[in-house]
Amino acid sequence: MKAIILARVSTEEQKEAGNSLPAQQDRLRSYIERKPQLILDMEYIFDESAYKEHRKEFDNVVAYIVSQKEVVAFCCDKVDRLTRDFLVGLPTLEKLRRDGKIELHFPSDNLILHKDSPATDLFHFNIAVSLAQYYSNSISDNVKRAYEKMRREGVYPSKPPLGYIRTTDIDGKKNIIPDPERASIIVRLFELYSTGNYSLETLLREAIRMGLKSSGGLTPPRSCIENILNDTFYYGVAQSAKYPPYSHKYQCLINKELFDKCQEIKNKKCNNRPKFVSKDFIFKALLTCKDCGCSMTPEMHQKKSGLVFVYYSCTNGKGNCQRTYVSESSLLETVYEVFDRLEKITAKDQAYIVQELRKTTEAETIFHKAQLARINAEYERTKQRDDNLLEAFLDKNITKEVYDKKHQQYYNSIQLLNRELEEHSRGDHDYQTTVATVCSLARRSRDIFESSEPSEKRAFLNYLLQNPTVQAKNLEFTIRSPFNELLNWAECPDRGAYRESNSN
């Protein structure tokens, strides 16, 4: 059987560590030499992230495998060298595996997958991918901490709003300053709207008359004027979709009093509009029509007997779909079938899964302990430097200006280390607790659902179901991870025997 080697790194640190390309190559070549049925055919060596949507090098490997007429053994040192995301690369390889055109070999994970692989091996593979994805997510936390530092310093990393431009000074430092062409127009728009004599339409006409252009040089739409009036950046507060607002360090165009006055006028105009209070439905805003992609909307029908029933139908927003009504009770029948399947998970299964995950996270545990040691050492070193700085100031060896500047730097570093230490200290416990919670939630899904309010039921379904659609009165969906893996485990016919054999 032809064998293909894939060795991959995604960072410079990995090139220097045990996951370096030569180290992976040596392990994979030795593995193929120990397998007489395998013949080395091709080697693919590259550095490319496994967490991005488009992977050019990886796609070339897949294309070569597809072109082969015989079964190919695809060898990677570990699962995380192949992918860190279920949606990137895996669907194509999974189809090839099921069709019997490929075998997946992971020597360091002691795992081989083929078309007849048992459910337990597939379960372990999916768990390994989940752990790799979890590790990548933890790496992104470091990026988030960098953004936290920028927010503390008042730095705005994104494109500034209309009325500001980004510049670079002679020292290469980036800055945001008022736009000489647009800043005065932005201020005038706030002043005009605060009089209460302008609507968004009339304010837009006035902005165009004053020569306001979008950042692309086009005539702005009405939504641009509305966005300007709602943007707190102009009085000194930066907004972020993921993080709380914070004060930025750049020059303000208006004061907060003027901004609040405009908001007060806008809210008064909005309050004069008639309000519609919708009823609470279980599948509200969750369903789409599979035929046309439009939303499924609920409505209540009352029978002559006084009984009230809820029905859902396609909005037919595109005008090419037949409006068909389906009852809420029939949709729930499909959901209850999933609950019944999840209830097959026993307390022994839950304990076994948590135990197995602890075994597969040994590498992460070593990394976790190393990070704690590094943080503690760096904390003590920074604290000692801060104490020495204070001694130097008290002995009048440095000025107060120098002391204040360096003390603030050390203080910021200590706060950052405290936050990082707290996250690492609770990381392992939180992870194990989360796994047990998910298992327990799956086992009691029916009881939880039936005892909840409609809004809570809707939130529960959104947590469990992925891409729910309706076609010919039938509810179709996929189960979100990790519940899909638990469901596969619950329906594995030999899981009891496998669990007992591995626990001895």
Side-chain angles (χ1 to χ4, degrees):
M1 182 187 301
K2 286 184 178 180
I4 294 177
I5 283 178
L6 184 147
R8 181 194 65 82
V9 294
S10 56
T11 64
E12 291 296 329
E13 290 79 4
Q14 289 179 348
K15 289 181 181 180
E16 303 299 330
N19 279 333
S20 65
L21 296 175
Q24 292 181 55
Q25 284 181 273
D26 290 342
R27 287 194 290 266
L28 290 171
R29 288 170 181 169
S30 298
Y31 172 77
I32 292 176
E33 290 175 359
R34 296 195 303 269
K35 300 287 184 180
Q37 73 273 23
L38 298 182
I39 301 175
L40 181 59
D41 180 44
M42 294 285 289
E43 294 188 25
Y44 291 90
I45 315 298
F46 53 83
D47 55 328
E48 182 180 63
S49 173
Y51 210 60
K52 63 182 183 180
E53 184 175 354
H54 301 291
R55 301 171 60 187
K56 182 179 178 181
E57 297 289 347
F58 180 78
D59 292 341
N60 293 336
V61 181
V62 175
Y64 178 78
I65 294 174
V66 173
S67 67
Q68 300 301 301
K69 296 182 180 180
E70 58 184 276
V71 180
V72 175
F74 189 18
C75 303
C76 297
D77 187 37
K78 298 180 66 176
V79 172
D80 62 5
R81 296 301 89 205
L82 174 66
T83 185
R84 290 184 180 273
D85 195 319
F86 283 101
L87 301 180
V88 181
L90 278 188
T92 301
L93 294 179
E94 176 64 11
K95 184 178 185 304
L96 292 173
R97 182 193 66 80
R98 291 183 177 181
D99 293 341
K101 297 181 179 180
I102 188 176
E103 288 185 0
L104 298 175
H105 293 243
F106 306 100
S108 293
D109 290 331
N110 195 25
L111 182 63
I112 299 177
L113 299 181
H114 48 79
K115 68 174 182 178
D116 298 321
S117 290
T120 49
D121 285 351
L122 298 177
F123 174 75
H124 282 172
F125 172 75
N126 290 330
I127 289 297
V129 176
S130 297
L131 290 172
Q133 187 171 5
Y134 171 79
Y135 179 77
S136 292
N137 291 338
S138 67
I139 296 298
S140 70
D141 290 342
N142 295 330
V143 178
K144 294 177 183 177
R145 283 191 284 271
Y147 278 105
E148 286 180 4
K149 183 176 183 296
M150 296 175 68
R151 290 194 299 275
R152 286 197 303 270
E153 297 174 351
V155 177
Y156 189 66
S158 304
K159 180 181 178 181
L162 202 63
Y164 288 91
I165 57 174
R166 188 177 290 277
T167 62
T168 304
D169 59 22
I170 57 176
D171 296 328
K173 295 182 179 180
K174 295 182 178 180
N175 193 17
I176 295 176
I177 63 173
D179 187 343
E181 298 180 0
R182 301 184 180 93
S184 59
I185 300 177
I186 299 297
V187 175
R188 185 58 180 161
L189 291 179
F190 277 98
E191 292 173 347
L192 293 176
Y193 194 76
S194 67
T195 64
N197 299 325
Y198 287 81
S199 65
L200 292 179
E201 291 290 348
T202 56
L203 195 63
L204 173 61
R205 290 197 291 268
E206 185 64 22
I208 295 174
R209 188 192 66 79
M210 289 188 290
L212 181 66
K213 297 289 185 180
S214 68
S215 56
L218 303 176
T219 300
R222 196 185 82 156
S223 60
C224 177
I225 304 300
E226 188 172 7
N227 291 338
I228 290 173
L229 295 176
N230 291 331
D231 200 333
T232 60
F233 193 93
Y234 296 110
Y235 75 81
V237 176
Q239 299 282 351
S240 173
K242 295 182 179 180
Y243 305 102
Y246 64 97
S247 299
H248 65 70
K249 65 177 184 179
Y250 312 108
Q251 180 180 338
C252 301
L253 297 186
I254 62 173
N255 55 42
K256 191 174 186 301
E257 288 73 21
L258 179 57
F259 180 86
D260 290 340
K261 180 65 176 177
C262 292
Q263 291 297 304
E264 181 182 350
I265 291 174
K266 182 171 68 69
N267 291 334
K268 284 182 179 179
K269 292 181 178 181
C270 293
N271 290 336
N272 291 332
R273 299 174 184 173
K275 295 183 178 180
F276 173 75
V277 180
S278 64
K279 294 185 178 295
D280 208 0
F281 299 96
I282 297 177
F283 289 99
K284 176 183 171 184
L286 290 181
L287 304 177
T288 57
C289 176
K290 189 172 184 178
D291 293 327
C292 68
C294 295
S295 299
M296 300 284 292
T297 57
E299 55 187 80
M300 300 178 67
H301 291 194
Q302 185 171 2
K303 304 295 184 180
K304 293 182 179 181
S305 60
L307 296 176
V308 177
F309 297 88
V310 178
Y311 289 87
Y312 293 80
S313 63
C314 176
T315 57
N316 195 22
K318 299 179 181 178
N320 57 0
C321 189
Q322 183 178 358
R323 197 178 186 92
T324 304
Y325 289 89
V326 54
S327 67
E328 186 175 83
S329 58
S330 64
L331 296 175
L332 287 174
E333 289 179 2
T334 308
V335 175
Y336 280 119
E337 290 177 2
V338 176
F339 292 158
D340 293 339
R341 294 162 62 192
L342 287 172
E343 286 181 351
K344 295 178 182 178
I345 301 174
T346 64
K348 289 184 178 180
D349 291 329
Q350 177 178 328
Y352 171 75
I353 291 174
V354 174
Q355 179 183 357
E356 286 298 303
L357 286 176
R358 287 197 181 101
K359 294 179 181 178
T360 57
T361 55
E362 290 180 357
E364 284 75 9
T365 302
I366 296 174
F367 172 80
H368 171 76
K369 292 181 178 179
Q371 290 300 305
L372 288 179
R374 176 189 62 79
I375 295 170
N376 284 322
E378 190 172 347
Y379 176 90
E380 293 297 332
R381 183 166 55 252
T382 305
K383 190 69 171 61
Q384 184 61 48
R385 289 176 178 175
D386 193 35
D387 292 341
N388 294 340
L389 182 70
L390 178 59
E391 293 289 341
F393 173 68
L394 294 176
D395 293 339
K396 298 182 180 182
N397 293 329
I398 58 175
T399 64
K400 187 176 186 304
E401 181 181 358
V402 173
Y403 170 77
D404 290 341
K405 181 178 179 180
K406 293 298 294 182
H407 172 68
Q408 186 63 43
Q409 293 178 1
Y410 290 145
Y411 176 80
N412 292 340
S413 298
I414 289 173
Q415 295 304 311
L416 193 61
L417 289 169
N418 280 331
R419 190 178 299 109
E420 189 177 0
L421 180 63
E422 181 182 352
E423 291 176 359
H424 279 285
S425 297
R426 70 187 182 197
D428 182 65
H429 173 73
D430 288 349
Y431 178 66
Q432 304 295 345
T433 303
T434 300
V435 173
T437 302
V438 169
C439 293
S440 178
L441 182 64
R443 293 171 53 207
R444 301 181 297 111
S445 54
R446 175 186 281 269
D447 294 337
I448 294 173
F449 185 79
E450 291 179 342
S451 61
S452 302
E453 297 296 326
S455 60
E456 296 170 335
K457 291 181 178 179
R458 183 170 61 253
F460 189 86
L461 292 180
N462 190 42
Y463 185 55
L464 179 66
L465 309 182
Q466 182 170 287
N467 300 325
T469 60
V470 176
Q471 184 179 41
K473 296 188 177 184
N474 295 321
L475 178 62
E476 301 179 6
F477 53 82
T478 56
I479 307 297
R480 290 187 186 274
S481 178
F483 293 102
N484 58 338
E485 302 304 332
L486 293 176
L487 199 58
N488 292 336
W489 173 260
E491 296 177 343
C492 176
D494 58 343
R495 74 180 191 279
Y498 185 87
R499 185 187 63 226
E500 296 299 329
S501 64
N502 282 269
S503 62
N504 294 331

